[in-house]
Amino acid sequence: MPYRSGCGSVVGAILTLMAGTLLAGPASAQSGEPIKIGFSMALTGGLAPNGKSALLAQKLWEEDVNAKGALLGRPVKLVYYDDKSSPAVYTKLLDVDKVELVVGPYATAQIAPAMPIVMQKKKTFIGLLGLAVNSEFNYPNYFAMIPSGPDAKPAFTKGFFDVAMAQGAKPQTVAIVAADQEFSRNAADGARENAKAANLRVVYDRTYPPSTADFAPIVRAIQASNPDLVVVCSYPPDSVGIVRSVNEIGFKPKAIGGAMVGLQATAIKTQLGPLLNGWINYDFWLPVPKMEFAGVGDLIKRYQAKAGAEGVDPLGYYMAPWGYAQLQVLQQAVEGTKSLDDAKLGDYIRANTFKTVAAT
């Protein structure tokens, strides 16, 4: 799987339908000082269900590496904080905890604030599912563990448009609604490109504050524009609120969905149930033959065996493969260079392909 600065390269599946108390993974008993790998993770707030799911997979990676003889002859130790959207976490990791390597947190809203810090420190940085984070920074040693390819913004909603435009009666108009924060704005930028390519007329295009709790006025305004299609670019609390409001109002466009984070979570699917019927959204991994990459089945089995005790998503389909693969790429770069030097690691990642549980 090739990795390029700011993007991944596999295609995701399409479905119809932050600083706090220091936490650290267990150190292993191998000889030598542990290689400390630092990062922040969403463990509270709206993104926490996904963040906790990714963290369990990352802990499994830590166990696996240490059980197989460690890395460069040294055990690995994950050092992580609940990020609470604070970029200061990375300053603490590097200056106080003295971690030797860092990886990115989960989600665009958390990765972007950390970028200036890791750039100043000249660290190689692999983000976790951040959408087009590097489009503004252009940092050569940033890499993204996300299956949206080199043209990330339109890729995120391309599947939605492909499905929606395959209808017998061709849609003519589209509404685009997005939270006023980086991920959603980036996804909305891509949706506009896709709408233009499909010769659709945009009849509604607005953002809403991330703190919005009542989505009924927004849904009614979209309904008044009478769009054939509705693209929603949202984070988990918004996604739930919009699904509920659309159902309560009885709004029924020809297709709705697109870039809604949160609807992949088992708890949210269970909570919304039949309210999700007819929605078109994305997912990044499913237990289907074409996505049964080497090791992923065993990872999911082990993840699910621990999920109940850890209080995380019981299936782990959305986050577990990507959280584990993020650290596999770092591991293979360290092994390939036999070094922890960030410049060498960045050069190696740009020049090589990687076999992970998310791709072969």
Side-chain angles (χ1 to χ4, degrees):
M1 178 180 181
Y3 285 80
R4 304 179 182 87
S5 179
C7 65
S9 64
V10 297
V11 178
I14 300 298
L15 295 180
T16 53
L17 316 150
M18 129 185 146
T21 303
L22 173 65
L23 306 168
S28 296
Q30 289 97 336
S31 61
E33 287 296 317
I35 296 173
K36 293 192 288 186
I37 303 172
F39 58 99
S40 68
M41 185 56 68
L43 301 178
T44 55
L47 292 171
N50 290 343
K52 290 178 179 179
S53 180
L55 181 59
L56 176 53
Q58 292 167 326
K59 289 179 179 179
L60 291 173
W61 174 87
E62 180 186 39
E63 290 178 10
D64 291 346
V65 171
N66 288 331
K68 293 176 181 177
L71 194 59
L72 301 185
R74 296 166 58 189
V76 296
K77 181 178 182 180
L78 300 181
V79 181
Y80 51 90
Y81 293 90
D82 181 359
D83 58 39
K84 298 182 180 178
S85 301
S86 172
V89 167
Y90 281 86
T91 299
K92 180 173 175 56
L93 286 166
L94 291 163
D95 293 346
V96 179
D97 298 310
K98 303 296 183 181
V99 300
E100 292 167 277
L101 302 170
V102 291
V103 292
Y106 158 62
T108 311
Q110 278 66 37
I111 298 171
M115 286 291 287
I117 296 171
V118 298
M119 290 168 64
Q120 182 183 28
K121 300 287 188 177
K122 298 182 180 179
K123 304 297 289 183
T124 288
F125 201 47
I126 305 171
L128 181 58
L129 301 188
L131 180 62
V133 172
N134 208 26
S135 59
E136 294 184 10
F137 296 102
N138 294 312
Y139 180 50
N141 279 2
Y142 173 78
F143 306 89
M145 181 57 65
I146 184 171
S148 52
D151 199 8
K153 291 182 180 182
F156 214 83
T157 54
K158 184 179 185 301
F160 171 85
F161 280 93
D162 287 347
V163 172
M165 296 305 293
Q167 300 180 77
K170 292 293 183 184
Q172 302 296 316
T173 58
V174 61
I176 301 171
V177 61
D180 189 12
Q181 49 88 12
E182 190 164 5
F183 160 76
S184 299
R185 291 194 301 267
N186 288 344
D189 287 345
R192 293 183 198 99
E193 292 184 43
N194 288 325
K196 182 177 180 180
N199 294 315
L200 292 167
R201 181 164 56 92
V202 178
V203 294
Y204 180 99
D205 188 353
R206 296 182 186 177
T207 60
Y208 58 83
S211 59
T212 299
D214 181 8
F215 289 93
I218 295 171
V219 172
R220 289 194 180 95
I222 296 171
Q223 184 180 38
S225 70
N226 195 33
D228 294 325
L229 311 179
V230 180
V231 177
V232 183
C233 307
S234 54
Y235 264 2
D238 326 357
S239 299
V240 172
I242 290 172
V243 169
R244 290 193 179 280
S245 292
V246 165
N247 278 273
E248 289 168 2
I249 291 168
F251 179 35
K252 295 182 178 179
K254 291 181 178 179
I256 185 169
M260 302 179 72
V261 180
L263 300 188
Q264 304 81 9
T266 305
I268 290 178
K269 289 177 181 176
T270 303
Q271 175 189 350
L272 294 174
L275 298 183
L276 288 172
N277 289 344
W279 291 73
I280 302 172
N281 201 41
Y282 76 96
D283 212 319
F284 288 150
W285 186 87
L286 291 172
V288 296
K290 289 186 177 181
M291 304 193 84
E292 290 288 348
F293 305 115
V296 72
D298 179 65
L299 168 65
I300 294 297
K301 182 179 179 180
R302 292 167 56 219
Y303 170 99
Q304 292 176 353
K306 292 192 173 188
E310 294 283 341
V312 301
D313 186 289
L315 296 179
Y317 294 162
Y318 183 54
M319 295 300 300
W322 301 98
Y324 194 95
Q326 177 191 32
L327 292 172
Q328 281 186 301
V329 171
L330 182 64
Q331 174 188 354
Q332 291 171 37
V334 169
E335 291 171 340
T337 60
K338 295 180 173 56
S339 172
L340 301 179
D341 180 85
D342 284 279
K344 292 179 180 178
L345 295 174
D347 289 343
Y348 186 91
I349 295 173
R350 278 190 297 276
N352 290 272
T353 59
F354 298 81
K355 291 186 178 181
T356 73
V357 294
T360 54

